């Protein structure tokens, strides 16, 4: 892997390798872009096949956070950490505290949070060494469980997508197929049920499905049947890559709007659903409620303020749809363009400011 060539191609700023022999820490911090502010992105702990695979994952995820934070309207850039190790047996206090010292050494350029393989308890150990961490225990002033907030953002974004598809953002009477009924999706189902939507649900966890049936009167189907059900809106809230060659021909929904990450298996699938006239709410725009919520911790967490910001996901989906129409492109491309345009505006603004400052100094 030609690291500098890759970093230059996608305009990464920094890659930091962190090693602590005593604790066994092997971590990679990738900082993609800090134009809008410090890089915010979680710490993932995983048993990677190779060090190169870990580096690639850190780089890919960091770039994704740049786009997610920019599209969410946050004054934050994108970064990510991967720790090489088995989260079930390689964790210890020394490891996370050593990692916390590395974050502190970056002096605020990077702020972390929990991710796959890490927990609130892990973030608390990092917090012993640095303040540049979010998603810590509520006792330390954190925002707590992000699932209800993420769900509310998805609900708001779904309403905006429905407005484009059906002419009204009301979900009353709409049939919504929810794939996966985990913590986020269950909270989403509650919002949909309260507005009068009819729910079709599926999950490999039969208890989760039964809970949705009991509480919301949902209809249960087998996991492989969810794609082809008669519905108005399909909400992928479990695995990624569920919009693919085998599932697209089955879809009857007019809207795709859900909480899952990386819903498109390939960009070509985003082009295909666009050609079919399906309104797609890009995943990293609609599911940004969690990152918006933890970002509020940086100002001293205020739930009302955080929820008000999460409500703007509705407006962000509207902007994506406007750009898609303006440029005659699919919404997944429009989401990238919205993020890129915001970053570019800030770069131009800073450049202009520096030029003006130079002119003032040169006249003195």
């Amino acid at each position: 892997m030609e690291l500098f060539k890759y970093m230059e191609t996608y305009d990464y700023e920094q890659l930091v390798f962190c090693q602590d022999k005593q604790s066994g820490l092997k971590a990679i911090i990738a900082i993609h872009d800090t134009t809008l502010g410090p890089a915010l992105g979680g710490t993932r702990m995983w048993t990677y096949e190779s060090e190169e695979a870990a580096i690639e994952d850190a780089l890919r995820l960091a770039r994704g956070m740049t786009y997610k934070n920019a599209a969410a309207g946050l004054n934050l850039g994108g970064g990510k950490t991967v720790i090489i190790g088995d989260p079930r047996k390689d964790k210890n206090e020394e490891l996370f505290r050593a990692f916390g010292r590395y974050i502190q050494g970056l002096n605020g350029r990077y702020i972390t949070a929990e991710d796959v393989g890490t927990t609130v308890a892990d973030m608390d150990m990092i917090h012993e060494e640095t303040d540049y961490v979010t998603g810590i225990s509520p006792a330390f002033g954190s925002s707590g469980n992000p699932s209800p907030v993420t769900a509310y953002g998805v609900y708001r974004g779904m309403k905006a997508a429905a407005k484009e598809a059906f002419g009204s953002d009301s979900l009353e009477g709409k049939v919504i197929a929810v794939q996966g009924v985990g913590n986020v999706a269950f909270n989403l189902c509650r919002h949909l049920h309260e507005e009068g939507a009819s729910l079709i649900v599926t999950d490999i966890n039969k208890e989760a499905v039964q809970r949705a049936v009991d509480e919301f009167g949902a209809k249960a189907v087998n996991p492989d049947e969810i794609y082809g059900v008669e519905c108005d809106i399909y909400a992928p809230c479990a695995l990624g890559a569920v919009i693919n060659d085998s599932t697209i021909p089955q879809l009857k929904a007019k809207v795709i709007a859900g909480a899952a990450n990386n819903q498109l298996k390939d960009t070509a699938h985003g082009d295909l659903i666009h050609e079919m006239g399906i309104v797609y709410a890009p995943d990293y725009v609609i599911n940004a409620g969690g990152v918006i919520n933890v970002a509020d911790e940086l100002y001293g967490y205020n739930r009302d303020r955080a929820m008000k910001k999460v409500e703007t996901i509705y407006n962000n989906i509207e902007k994506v749809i406007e750009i898609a129409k303006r440029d005659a492109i699919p919404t997944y491309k429009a989401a990238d363009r919205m993020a890129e345009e915001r970053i570019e505006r800030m770069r131009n603004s800073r450049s202009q400011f520096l030029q003006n400052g130079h002119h003032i100094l040169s006249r003195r």
Side-chain angles (χ1 to χ4, degrees):
M1 185 180 185
E2 296 182 70
L3 267 178
F4 278 109
K5 186 176 181 182
Y6 185 92
M7 290 175 72
E8 185 180 359
T9 300
Y10 297 105
D11 204 15
Y12 287 85
E13 294 180 9
Q14 193 172 5
L15 196 60
V16 183
F17 294 89
C18 313
Q19 185 276 142
D20 182 72
K21 188 175 181 180
Q22 185 172 331
S23 66
L25 174 71
K26 291 182 177 65
I28 300 148
I29 302 171
I31 297 175
H32 177 246
D33 189 286
T34 58
T35 303
L36 297 174
L40 172 69
T43 292
R44 178 169 294 195
M45 189 169 187
W46 197 251
T47 50
Y48 290 95
E49 292 179 3
S50 65
E51 291 178 4
E52 186 172 294
I55 294 167
E56 286 178 354
D57 203 31
L59 289 166
R60 179 181 61 84
L61 293 167
R63 186 164 176 255
M65 287 307 300
T66 294
Y67 281 80
K68 186 166 193 166
N69 293 337
L74 298 173
N75 295 318
L76 293 164
K80 204 78 170 187
T81 295
V82 300
I83 296 176
I84 299 172
D86 188 336
R88 293 166 297 182
K89 61 183 183 183
D90 293 335
K91 289 183 179 181
N92 58 70
E93 181 184 1
E94 293 82 8
L95 181 147
F96 286 110
R97 292 190 66 163
F99 177 56
R101 290 192 290 274
Y102 277 108
I103 292 176
Q104 183 65 20
L106 290 170
N107 202 31
R109 274 180 56 74
Y110 171 68
I111 302 159
T112 199
E114 65 182 283
D115 200 284
V116 175
T118 60
T119 65
V120 171
D122 300 331
M123 296 305 111
D124 286 348
M125 286 186 275
I126 293 169
H127 186 238
E128 292 292 331
E129 302 289 344
T130 184
D131 288 330
Y132 301 120
V133 55
T134 60
I136 51 180
S137 295
F140 296 122
S142 107
S143 53
N145 180 10
S147 296
V149 187
T150 303
Y152 183 63
V154 174
Y155 167 66
R156 292 288 298 165
M158 184 183 288
K159 286 176 72 67
K163 184 179 178 183
E164 174 62 20
F166 308 116
S168 165
D169 69 4
S170 173
L171 300 176
E172 184 177 2
K174 293 287 183 286
V175 178
I176 303 173
V178 182
Q179 182 182 28
V181 202
N183 289 333
V184 172
F186 188 81
N187 282 284
L188 172 63
C189 286
R190 185 183 304 283
H191 289 297
L192 301 176
H193 175 68
E194 288 173 355
E195 193 170 332
S198 298
L199 300 173
I200 302 172
V201 299
T202 195
D203 198 298
I204 56 172
N205 182 339
K206 292 182 178 178
E207 289 180 8
V209 170
Q210 192 57 49
R211 189 177 168 210
V213 170
D214 293 341
E215 294 208 25
F216 309 127
K219 175 187 173 184
V221 298
N222 292 325
D224 59 350
E225 295 175 339
I226 195 73
Y227 307 105
V229 298
E230 293 285 350
C231 65
D232 299 296
I233 299 170
Y234 164 50
C237 297
L239 302 172
V242 292
I243 303 170
N244 55 53
D245 287 338
S246 64
T247 61
I248 289 173
Q250 301 178 55
L251 296 176
K252 297 180 175 67
K254 293 283 191 292
V255 171
I256 299 174
N261 287 312
N262 305 314
Q263 294 168 22
L264 302 173
K265 185 172 183 183
D266 193 82
T267 55
H269 299 115
D271 297 326
L272 188 53
I273 58 174
H274 174 69
E275 289 164 11
M276 293 167 66
I278 296 173
V279 177
Y280 170 57
D283 44 36
Y284 72 79
V285 181
I286 197 172
N287 69 13
V291 73
I292 291 171
N293 195 50
V294 297
D296 195 81
E297 294 178 23
L298 303 172
Y299 305 98
Y301 185 66
N302 179 301
R303 189 171 180 84
D304 289 342
R305 180 177 61 204
M307 294 304 283
K308 198 168 281 297
K309 181 71 173 172
V310 171
E311 284 185 6
T312 64
I313 289 175
Y314 184 108
N315 308 93
N316 294 340
I317 293 295
E318 282 191 318
K319 286 177 194 170
V320 166
I321 291 168
E322 284 171 18
I323 292 168
K325 288 178 176 176
R326 180 194 77 192
D327 298 348
I329 55 175
T331 54
Y332 80 90
K333 287 183 180 175
D336 288 355
R337 197 159 291 181
M338 180 174 77
E340 289 162 358
E341 286 176 357
R342 182 167 179 242
I343 292 166
E344 197 57 36
R345 284 195 301 271
M346 182 57 69
R347 280 185 182 146
N348 292 339
S349 174
R350 281 187 180 168
S351 176
Q352 190 64 45
F353 177 78
L354 291 171
Q355 284 177 16
N356 290 343
H358 174 73
H359 292 324
I360 290 168
L361 288 171
S362 64
R363 286 200 300 266
R364 285 182 173 177

